[in-house]
Amino acid sequence: MEDQQALNYWRALVNFASRAGAEDTVNATPSTISRLSEEDIKWLQGAMSEFMKDNDPIRIMKQQLEKIVQALSAELTDKAGSEVLTALQTLIDLCYETDIASDFLKIGGIRILPPLLASSQLDVQANAAELVGVLCQNHPYCQKVLLDRDILPLLLELLLRWPSVAVKALFAVSCIVRGFNEGEKQFIELNGFYYLVKILASNNERLLTKSSFLLSWLLQKNEFKGECVLCQINLNYYCGDS
């Protein structure tokens, strides 16, 4: 993403300089700019093509996916886990763009999510959950694909794990469920309120705040079946896992 930021910077600078030059009537001098030769045009086109190829998001995502798949093919050592985290962070940065998030799933990126969410390394679990949230944020296509591939049950289980993982998992659950009727329906079918109520017994402030916000939103959204929801919550809370 640093390359993209640099490119945006230079584009803005060129545009600014062009406007400033056009408006400068005091220091204006006769233009000595000449047309590019055919050879120069071909060189420039080649340079731009090479630049775009090296910075193509799909190509970068495929490279990161390959790194993760290779790491998952054997025992995930600390070194391999570090490489996976770096690859995941690159994917997270890219997938904030809606179109790129769709492309991630279309090139088969979803296949890495279940094993990463089940990883023995907490940082890997947390970053994988964050990636799911970024993919699904206000994105019905990605929400639908991930629901169909049963990612939501995996995330719900992570809500009862270490707080560092649970916070990211809760972010992902919220992104899949909110504003998406199918996600909300599956959440209820999976007894999702049970997990939110369990979190309310936590002493982690971030978890309490986020779970309370999601719980409040869901109850307001489901006013037509509020009594059933409240009964479900009470039963889950007082009966525990039974």
Side-chain angles (χ1 to χ4, degrees):
M1 296 306 288
E2 291 180 358
D3 291 339
Q4 184 62 43
Q5 291 174 348
L7 179 59
N8 291 338
Y9 169 80
W10 286 113
R11 282 175 176 168
L13 182 60
V14 169
N15 289 335
F16 172 78
S18 299
R19 290 195 303 271
E23 296 170 359
D24 187 358
T25 58
V26 176
N27 298 310
T29 57
S31 175
T32 58
I33 298 176
S34 59
R35 285 182 174 274
L36 290 174
S37 66
E38 287 294 327
E39 183 179 354
D40 289 338
I41 291 174
K42 288 181 180 179
W43 177 88
L44 183 58
Q45 288 175 336
M48 291 301 296
S49 176
E50 191 67 24
F51 176 83
M52 294 303 294
K53 182 178 70 174
D54 291 341
N55 292 275
D56 175 45
I58 293 180
R59 176 175 175 170
I60 295 173
M61 286 194 293
K62 287 181 177 179
Q63 291 172 341
Q64 304 312 311
L65 287 173
E66 182 61 28
K67 292 178 183 178
I68 293 173
V69 169
Q70 288 182 356
L72 292 175
S73 64
E75 183 180 354
L76 198 60
T77 62
D78 289 343
K79 180 180 179 181
S82 178
E83 292 174 352
V84 168
L85 288 175
T86 300
L88 278 172
Q89 190 56 59
T90 299
L91 292 172
I92 289 170
D93 291 341
L94 286 170
C95 288
Y96 274 105
E97 289 289 337
T98 303
D99 291 340
I100 296 177
S102 298
D103 290 335
F104 173 83
L105 296 179
K106 291 175 182 177
I107 63 175
I110 195 170
R111 71 186 188 277
I112 68 169
L113 295 177
L116 291 178
L117 291 171
S119 172
S120 60
Q121 296 192 17
L122 298 182
D123 286 345
V124 171
Q125 283 186 321
N127 278 41
E130 182 178 0
L131 176 58
V132 172
V134 170
L135 288 168
C136 291
Q137 206 162 25
N138 302 315
H139 199 320
Y141 169 77
C142 291
Q143 288 171 308
K144 172 65 174 172
V145 171
L146 291 170
L147 278 179
D148 290 344
R149 293 295 293 270
D150 295 325
I151 296 298
L152 185 56
L154 302 179
L155 293 170
L156 290 175
E157 289 299 324
L158 292 182
L159 294 180
L160 304 182
R161 303 293 173 83
W162 289 94
S164 60
V165 176
V167 166
K168 299 294 186 180
L170 187 55
F171 163 67
V173 169
S174 180
C175 289
I176 289 181
V177 171
R178 294 189 64 206
F180 190 57
N181 289 335
E182 289 186 45
E184 180 186 337
K185 180 181 178 182
Q186 189 175 121
F187 176 86
I188 294 173
E189 291 174 349
L190 291 170
N191 205 13
F193 288 102
Y194 164 78
Y195 296 91
L196 293 185
V197 172
K198 279 284 189 179
I199 291 175
L200 293 179
S202 166
N203 59 2
N204 184 285
E205 186 174 346
R206 289 184 66 193
L207 277 175
L208 284 171
T209 301
K210 291 179 179 294
S211 61
S212 297
F213 180 81
L214 179 57
L215 184 59
S216 174
W217 184 87
L218 286 167
L219 290 175
Q220 291 176 16
K221 184 72 167 55
N222 287 277
E223 287 179 347
F224 62 94
K225 47 189 170 185
E227 290 184 3
C228 293
V229 170
L230 289 173
C231 286
Q232 180 187 22
I233 289 176
N234 287 330
L235 285 172
N236 287 332
Y237 186 78
Y238 290 109
C239 297
D241 296 328
S242 59

